[in-house]
């Protein structure tokens, strides 16, 4: 992607530009002015004409440099390209800058500086030698962030100096770009989740059965069509060869629910429970899209992404990469909500026929656990990854089998039909994904998330 525009350097007749140039005098230029003024005063007091000439020369030199620099007439254009424009947290992106002199005069020494947020690293600065008329220069730098979000890059700034270093002018481009840092994702194993409805397990497309000849919508014969699909009744009616249309595919559906309530998550930072849930939701979205599901992202506030297409699901009317990009952009900036309940999300799910429901819950009190239990009735299958806040807050795993409120909430969800999995820190989603599928040898509190096999190729790098 490119950004930028001409940086106007030909404002020599603008009084505002002259005033800006005077304010851009360097320390050397101001020192020359002060020395010249002091010499002129001393020459007047002492009556020394030679000293007055020296003072005038010292004071005139920076002023001449200002006038020459302001009246320099050439134009420079700049473009910026991000590679890629979306990156997972902790991954580097490269920013390519290209400067081109579109005037008929060569430039002097240029100092190029791009404005970047502090979280992406130090502000890049480059020194460009003389650029001939019609010439171009290309430079690049790297940015990296461990925190997801949307970060503006730019505007680009050019600094022009005179040969004596008396004055410095700064010109800014008007355009800027945005780097999207999305959550980290991990490849998930190809397993059938427990509780998936029949027909959803492998994510393949299902076909709508035709009730009979009356439901057939024929079309004209095309070269290469199978003659066994010829519909003779329509052929006789229209007087031309007609064939049955191929059965229309209906994609399996999946809703990924992310609990963003502030009261449901404790701690902050890249290793917090909330960030784990966001990363888990991103991994689940990419995985289900790769399996051929029509997917949507839902939050506790009832906001569905992308919200277009049949039932608000992505993938049936858009390309999977576009759908994933839209949802990843949302997860890049998602933050805690001030809501205290899951009722809005339940209202969105009340329509039924929601397919598979994958939820990432934080703390659930008895009331919210009851709301989550009712969500199960509106879906074909439901898997819940519930974060144990006590373990995340103290970095300590509670004793197995302890009769705590957390265990009671898990039991309530399981009794309502959920496949509920307890999530503790230090373990990746791939481990719990296998546990949700009932993979043999995987327990709730075991470690070794990195031993999961059979994973698909998850999202990495980003879409450009």
């Amino acid at each position: 992607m490119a950004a930028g525009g001409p940086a106007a350097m030909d404002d020599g007749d603008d009084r505002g530009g002259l005033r800006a140039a005077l304010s851009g005098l360097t320390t050397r230029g101001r020192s020359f002015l002060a020395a010249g003024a002091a010499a002129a005063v001393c020459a007047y007091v002492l009556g020394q004409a030679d000293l007055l000439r020296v003072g005038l020369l010292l004071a005139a030199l920076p002023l001449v440099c200002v006038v020459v620099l302001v009246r320099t007439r050439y134009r420079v254009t700049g473009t910026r390209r991000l590679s890629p424009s979306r990156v997972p947290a902790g991954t580097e992106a490269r920013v390519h800058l290209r400067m081109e002199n579109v005037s008929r005069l060569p430039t002097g020494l240029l100092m190029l500086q791009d404005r970047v947020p502090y979280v992406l690293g130090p502000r890049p600065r480059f020194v460009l030698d003389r650029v001939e008329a019609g010439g171009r220069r290309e430079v690049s730098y790297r940015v990296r962030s461990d925190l997801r979000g949307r970060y503006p890059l730019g505007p680009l700034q050019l600094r022009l100096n005179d040969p004596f270093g008396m004055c410095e002018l700064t010109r800014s481009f008007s355009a800027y770009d945005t780097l999207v840092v999305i959550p980290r994702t991990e490849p998930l194993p190809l397993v059938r989740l427990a509780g998936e409805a029949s027909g959803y397990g492998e994510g393949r497309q299902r076909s709508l059965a035709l009730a009979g000849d009356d439901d057939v919508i024929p079309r004209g014969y095309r070269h290469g069509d199978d003659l066994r699909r010829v519909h003779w009744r329509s052929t006789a009616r229209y007087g031309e060869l007609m064939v049955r249309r191929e059965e229309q595919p209906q994609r399996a559906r999946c809703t990924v629910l992310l609990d963003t309530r502030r009261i449901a998550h404790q701690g902050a930072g890249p290793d917090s429970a909330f960030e784990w849930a966001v990363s888990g939701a991103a991994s689940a979205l990419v995985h289900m899209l790769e399996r051929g599901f029509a997917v949507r992202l839902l939050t506790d506030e009832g906001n569905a992404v992308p919200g277009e297409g049949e039932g608000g699901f992505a993938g049936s009317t858009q390309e999977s990469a576009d759908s994933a990009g839209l949802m990843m952009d949302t997860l890049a900036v998602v933050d805690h909500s001030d809501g205290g309940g899951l009722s809005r999300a339940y209202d969105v799910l009340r329509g039924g026929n929601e397919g598979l429901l994958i939820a990432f819950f934080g703390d659930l009190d008895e009331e919210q656990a009851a709301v989550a239990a009712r969500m199960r009735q509106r879906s074909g299958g439901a898997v819940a990854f519930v974060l144990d806040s006590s373990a995340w807050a103290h970095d300590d795993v509670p004793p197995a089998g302890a009769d705590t409120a957390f265990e009671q909430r898990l039991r309530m969800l399981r009794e309502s039909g959920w496949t509920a999995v307890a999530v503790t820190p230090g373990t990746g989603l791939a481990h719990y994904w296998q546990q949700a599928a009932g993979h043999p040898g995987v327990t709730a509190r075991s470690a070794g998330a990195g031993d999961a096999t059979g994973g698909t190729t998850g999202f990495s790098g980003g879409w450009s």
Side-chain angles (χ1 to χ4, degrees):
M1 62 190 294
M9 307 296 287
D10 55 347
D11 49 355
D13 296 332
D14 188 6
R15 295 182 180 179
L18 183 60
R19 288 193 296 268
L22 288 174
S23 65
L25 283 172
T26 63
T27 302
R28 180 184 300 178
R30 296 176 187 273
S31 299
F32 267 67
L33 276 180
V41 171
C42 292
Y44 177 77
V45 173
L46 301 176
Q48 297 291 329
D50 293 338
L51 183 59
L52 178 61
R53 284 192 289 270
V54 172
L56 292 178
L57 177 62
L58 291 176
L61 182 59
L63 296 179
V64 171
C65 290
V66 167
V67 173
V68 172
L69 194 61
V70 170
R71 295 186 63 84
T72 300
R73 295 178 178 273
Y74 56 83
R75 296 176 66 84
V76 178
T77 62
T79 58
R80 181 190 298 105
R81 179 172 56 87
L82 305 182
S83 178
S85 59
R86 289 190 188 95
V87 293
T91 304
E92 289 186 345
R94 183 169 290 276
V95 182
H96 302 269
L97 303 176
R98 185 175 68 177
M99 307 303 301
E100 184 174 0
N101 182 13
V102 296
S103 64
R104 298 181 179 179
L105 298 176
T107 70
L109 188 67
L110 298 177
M111 295 182 62
L112 182 63
Q113 175 178 280
D114 205 6
R115 299 184 62 181
V116 300
Y118 175 78
V119 69
L120 295 182
R123 181 170 296 182
R125 294 182 175 91
F126 305 94
V127 177
L128 303 181
D129 294 333
R130 176 179 178 273
V131 182
E132 65 279 5
R136 64 182 61 178
R137 299 289 186 271
E138 295 186 3
V139 293
S140 65
Y141 63 93
R142 294 177 295 180
V143 291
R144 179 181 182 273
S145 174
D146 292 327
L147 302 175
R148 56 185 177 82
R150 295 174 62 90
Y151 301 102
L153 300 178
L156 200 62
Q157 292 181 335
L158 279 177
R159 291 184 180 180
L160 178 64
N161 295 332
D162 67 279
F164 298 101
M166 298 290 179
C167 182
E168 181 180 90
L169 290 182
T170 301
R171 292 290 182 265
S172 295
F173 292 80
S174 58
Y176 65 93
D177 287 312
T178 301
L179 175 68
V180 181
V181 180
I182 63 176
R184 293 184 179 93
T185 60
E186 60 177 302
L188 300 179
L190 276 173
V191 294
R192 178 171 178 174
L193 295 178
E196 285 191 49
S198 177
Y200 292 92
E202 300 301 330
R204 297 190 178 96
Q205 294 179 343
R206 298 175 297 129
S207 298
L208 294 176
L210 299 178
D213 289 345
D214 293 337
D215 296 325
V216 174
I217 303 178
R219 62 168 175 82
Y221 175 82
R222 299 171 185 170
H223 179 72
D225 284 339
D226 190 349
L227 293 179
R228 290 175 296 181
R229 293 173 47 214
V230 173
H231 192 247
W232 298 109
R233 181 181 300 178
S234 299
T235 300
R237 179 184 303 174
Y238 295 104
E240 59 177 321
L241 201 59
M242 307 291 290
V243 297
R244 295 183 178 88
R245 291 181 181 270
E246 294 181 353
E247 296 175 342
Q248 301 298 318
Q250 178 183 358
R251 301 187 69 176
R253 292 181 171 185
C254 176
T255 298
V256 177
L257 172 61
L258 176 62
D259 182 5
T260 64
R261 296 173 298 139
R262 188 180 302 275
I263 62 175
H265 300 278
Q266 300 184 24
D271 298 327
S272 63
F274 181 68
E275 292 301 324
W276 191 99
V278 173
S279 178
S283 301
L285 286 170
V286 173
H287 179 73
M288 301 310 291
L289 280 172
E290 289 177 346
R291 290 181 58 183
F293 279 71
V295 183
R296 70 175 172 182
L297 172 66
L298 181 64
T299 66
D300 58 288
E301 293 187 313
N303 300 325
V305 181
E308 299 179 358
E310 183 182 358
F313 289 84
S316 56
T317 58
Q318 308 176 47
E319 295 294 335
S320 294
D322 296 337
S323 304
L326 182 57
M327 288 182 281
M328 285 295 181
D329 288 347
T330 301
L331 290 177
V333 297
V334 69
D335 201 358
H336 291 289
S337 66
D338 296 326
L342 303 170
S343 57
R344 293 183 179 178
Y346 172 72
D347 292 339
V348 176
L349 297 171
R350 292 179 63 180
N353 192 25
E354 302 300 333
L356 177 63
L357 175 60
I358 302 175
F360 293 84
F361 289 125
D363 276 340
L364 295 174
D365 55 24
E366 186 175 356
E367 179 182 357
Q368 300 310 315
V371 175
R374 291 197 299 270
M375 292 180 183
R376 171 63 183 88
Q377 303 172 2
R378 305 294 179 180
S379 60
V383 179
F385 299 96
V386 188
L387 279 68
D388 188 350
S389 61
S390 61
W392 286 87
H394 303 95
D395 292 332
D396 187 18
V397 179
D403 190 12
T404 62
F406 177 75
E407 296 293 343
Q408 294 176 2
R409 304 296 179 258
L410 284 179
R411 190 180 305 113
M412 181 181 300
L413 292 177
R414 290 165 181 165
E415 290 175 351
S416 63
W418 283 87
T419 300
V421 180
V423 176
T424 55
T427 308
L429 177 61
H431 171 77
Y432 296 113
W433 196 264
Q434 285 186 319
Q435 181 181 334
H439 195 278
V442 181
T443 61
R445 303 294 183 184
S446 62
D451 297 334
T453 58
T456 59
T457 304
F459 171 81
S460 62
W463 295 270
S464 59

